């Protein structure tokens, strides 16, 4: 990568930045929950179409999912975008972008457009694809897109996530099955004719008892959590229907499957004991995230050279105000988690590259789950984080939402866009990296093809 080519593509990105920033703020002011992101999808479709991308809408049977491509042939580089919001995140209790997806999609859009303009200018062969991926938070939109054949055409997928540090995401995440177990019984008068009833609620409760005994006999890293979402309306009527929702997680997909089968067996036993029946209503099925060491190395070198976002006094004052709403203990624990002091990392905002990534370091497994994991088991995938909120701020909080609608969030977003763009440029410059990334991918997956974790007939649901 020559200095001239880097300057050229960053200049193009700088020309696009106002469009990305306007879009990010527009979506922040108009938050939409998963599978309801019609305004966001319309905006992306409009911008991409005007830019000359061939846009397909409704892929994966998701009305708000987008695939936009430009060019032809190899290499094929994809950028992953998200734009769903969360309920109850805004300071007034309304929906908001507590995970910064208003920024996430806009940065990926900017990178895709800059790469397209650069390739067009130099008449380079290859394909650029932007994916608008809905419902990351609660439905795993990318899983449905993957089932529809998306992402398999790529040589590399590039994405990022808002955070309070600048790092390469080298850790894994937890694979997940999320399902409703819907028990069906027989209603009756609970006092006059209890013998005629078959309580669906009893089935759900007994299932949970069985699952709790199962905890002693599963791997230490696995997690099972549940909530009864419906169990009847009044005590004097035997409930004919009850629903208990389970999340079953483990570090790898092949660890989730057998554990989930044991959870299903608990449901079978509970149904037998209560003379009820049950159905499984699947919500999510996610793979663990598989980092690619070759792509990570490319991005790490770029981030080491760039450092981080350029925050000014106004940004730091904004961040200090938000950070002061957190407990002192929370902020101290964040520095401890990253293994860095405020002298290095920064007190309110981080403008340096965190080598190793702290909890995102190679060999570690993060506690959460993401549908980026499914993409990473289809194609070599890169994921980075950049500082878009004060250090110590939790995602899914009103503080993070406030930051993502400010210049703090925008500057972190623009930095992410720069890293993604320069990573793509380096891949174009040295196309041998695609083979190296693919070889590492084949080694880590042991050549096993991706199989959708969704049960047959599973459909995304607005919740």
């Amino acid at each position: 990568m020559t200095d001239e080519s880097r300057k050229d593509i960053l200049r193009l990105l700088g020309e696009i930045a106002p469009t990305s920033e306007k879009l990010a703020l527009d979506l922040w002011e108009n938050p939409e929950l998963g599978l309801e992101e019609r305004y966001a999808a319309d905006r992306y479709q409009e911008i991409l179409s005007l830019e000359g991308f061939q846009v397909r809408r409704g892929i994966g049977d998701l009305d708000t999912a987008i695939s936009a491509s430009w060019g032809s042939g190899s290499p094929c580089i994809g950028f992953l975008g998200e734009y769903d919001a969360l309920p109850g995140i805004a300071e007034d209790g309304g929906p908001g972008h507590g995970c910064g997806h208003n920024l996430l999609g806009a940065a990926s859009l900017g990178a895709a457009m800059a790469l397209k303009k650069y390739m067009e200018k130099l008449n380079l062969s290859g394909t650029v694809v932007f994916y608008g991926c809905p419902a990351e938070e609660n439905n795993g939109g990318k899983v449905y897109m993957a089932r529809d054949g998306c992402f398999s055409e790529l040589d590399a997928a590039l994405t990022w996530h808002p955070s309070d540090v600048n790092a390469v995401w080298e850790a894994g995440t937890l694979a997940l099955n999320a399902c409703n177990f819907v028990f069906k019984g027989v209603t009756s008068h609970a006092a006059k004719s209890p013998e005629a009833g078959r309580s669906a609620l009893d089935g759900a409760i007994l299932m949970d008892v069985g699952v709790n005994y199962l905890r002693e006999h599963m791997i230490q890293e696995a997690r099972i959590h549940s909530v009864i979402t419906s169990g009847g309306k009044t005590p004097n009527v035997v409930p004919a229907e009850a629903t208990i929702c389970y999340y079953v997680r483990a570090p790898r997909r092949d660890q989730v499957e057998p554990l989930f089968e044991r959870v299903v067996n608990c449901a079978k036993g509970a149904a037998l004991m209560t003379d009820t029946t049950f159905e499984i209503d699947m919500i999510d099925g996610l793979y663990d995230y598989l980092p690619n060491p070759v792509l990570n190395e490319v991005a790490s070198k770029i981030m080491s050279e760039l450092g981080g976002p350029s925050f000014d006094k106004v940004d730091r004052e904004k961040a200090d105000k938000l950070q002061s709403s957190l407990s002192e203990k929370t902020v101290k624990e964040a520095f401890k988690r990253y293994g860095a002091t405020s002298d290095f990392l920064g007190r309110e905002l981080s403008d340096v590259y965190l080598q190793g990534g702290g909890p995102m370091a190679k060999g570690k497994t993060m506690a959460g789950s993401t549908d980026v994991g499914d993409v990473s088991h289809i194609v070599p995938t890169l994921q980075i984080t950049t500082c878009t909120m004060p250090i110590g701020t939790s995602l899914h909080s009103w503080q993070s939402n406030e930051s993502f609608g400010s210049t703090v969030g925008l500057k972190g977003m623009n930095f992410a866009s720069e890293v993604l763009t320069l990573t793509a440029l380096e891949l174009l410059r040295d196309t041998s990296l695609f083979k190296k990334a693919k070889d590492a991918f084949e080694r880590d997956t042991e050549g096993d093809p991706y199989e959708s974790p969704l049960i047959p007939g599973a459909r995304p649901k607005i919740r």
Side-chain angles (χ1 to χ4, degrees), residues 150-349:
C150 291
F151 315 117
S152 58
E153 69 268 35
L154 298 178
D155 292 302
L158 311 180
T159 191
W160 74 291
H161 201 283
S163 179
D164 56 351
V165 292
N166 307 292
V168 174
W169 192 321
E170 298 184 80
T173 58
L174 295 176
L176 163 75
N177 269 10
C179 288
N180 288 316
F181 288 79
V182 184
F183 282 82
K184 301 291 181 67
V186 178
T187 189
S188 70
H189 194 295
K192 185 177 181 181
S193 52
E195 73 284 355
R198 298 293 184 267
S199 174
L201 179 60
D202 286 353
I205 292 173
L206 282 172
M207 177 187 177
D208 212 34
V209 171
V211 171
N212 283 330
Y213 276 101
L214 175 61
R215 297 179 191 278
E216 184 181 357
H217 306 287
M218 65 186 197
I219 60 173
Q220 181 70 25
E221 299 81 9
R223 296 288 184 270
I224 302 178
H225 18 282
S226 66
V227 60
I228 294 177
T229 57
S230 66
K233 301 296 184 182
T234 179
N236 67 337
V237 176
V238 175
E241 184 171 310
T243 300
I244 184 166
C245 180
Y246 279 94
Y247 279 19
V248 181
R249 307 186 200 238
R252 299 195 315 269
R253 187 74 219 164
D254 60 1
Q255 294 170 327
V256 167
E257 296 291 355
L259 181 58
F260 182 70
E261 284 302 313
R262 297 176 73 187
V263 171
V264 172
N265 286 338
C266 291
K268 291 178 180 177
L272 183 62
M273 285 189 288
T274 56
D275 196 17
T276 59
T277 62
F278 72 91
E279 299 172 353
I280 298 176
D281 176 27
M282 193 162 199
I283 303 168
D284 280 343
L286 307 176
Y287 272 69
D288 48 295
Y289 175 62
L290 184 66
N292 187 277
V294 176
L295 298 181
N296 287 346
E297 185 177 352
V298 174
S300 179
K301 185 174 185 297
I302 291 169
M303 294 186 80
S304 295
E305 295 170 354
L306 295 181
S310 299
F311 297 115
D312 59 23
K313 182 180 178 182
V314 174
D315 301 323
R316 297 187 185 281
E317 288 176 350
K318 170 76 173 181
D320 181 62
K321 183 178 179 181
L322 287 172
Q323 193 183 58
S324 66
S325 69
L326 309 173
S327 71
E328 185 177 342
K329 179 182 178 182
T330 296
V331 177
K332 285 184 177 179
E333 286 179 347
F335 285 108
K336 183 178 180 180
R337 184 169 64 252
Y338 292 128
T341 65
S342 59
D343 290 337
F344 169 76
L345 202 59
R347 191 174 71 84
E348 311 94 352
L349 295 170

Side-chain angles (χ1 to χ4, degrees), residues 38-245:
R38 293 177 185 85
Y39 178 77
D42 287 345
R43 294 287 292 112
Y44 275 95
Q45 184 172 2
E46 177 187 9
I47 293 170
L48 288 160
S49 296
L50 289 173
E51 187 58 33
F53 284 79
Q54 297 298 313
V55 181
R56 290 193 300 136
R57 177 86 173 259
I59 54 178
D61 201 24
L62 302 168
D63 176 59
T64 54
I66 291 172
S67 173
S69 63
W70 173 88
S72 62
S74 296
C76 186
I77 301 175
F79 297 89
L80 309 182
E82 299 165 12
Y83 30 69
D84 57 319
L86 287 159
I89 291 298
E91 194 169 5
D92 62 3
H97 280 280
C99 227
H101 292 178
N102 63 309
L103 305 173
L104 199 164
S108 293
L109 176 76
M113 289 170 59
L115 184 63
K116 177 256 185 189
K117 285 181 177 291
Y118 181 82
M119 293 174 66
E120 196 173 33
K121 179 181 177 182
L122 274 66
N123 196 28
L124 300 177
S125 62
T127 308
V128 181
V129 188
F130 171 85
Y131 297 93
C133 308
E136 187 275 337
E137 293 291 353
N138 290 314
N139 277 279
K142 296 182 191 66
V143 185
Y144 293 94
M145 294 168 71
R147 189 173 66 177
D148 198 30
C150 291
F151 315 117
S152 58
E153 69 268 35
L154 298 178
D155 292 302
L158 311 180
T159 191
W160 74 291
H161 201 283
S163 179
D164 56 351
V165 292
N166 307 292
V168 174
W169 192 321
E170 298 184 80
T173 58
L174 295 176
L176 163 75
N177 269 10
C179 288
N180 288 316
F181 288 79
V182 184
F183 282 82
K184 301 291 181 67
V186 178
T187 189
S188 70
H189 194 295
K192 185 177 181 181
S193 52
E195 73 284 355
R198 298 293 184 267
S199 174
L201 179 60
D202 286 353
I205 292 173
L206 282 172
M207 177 187 177
D208 212 34
V209 171
V211 171
N212 283 330
Y213 276 101
L214 175 61
R215 297 179 191 278
E216 184 181 357
H217 306 287
M218 65 186 197
I219 60 173
Q220 181 70 25
E221 299 81 9
R223 296 288 184 270
I224 302 178
H225 18 282
S226 66
V227 60
I228 294 177
T229 57
S230 66
K233 301 296 184 182
T234 179
N236 67 337
V237 176
V238 175
E241 184 171 310
T243 300
I244 184 166
C245 180

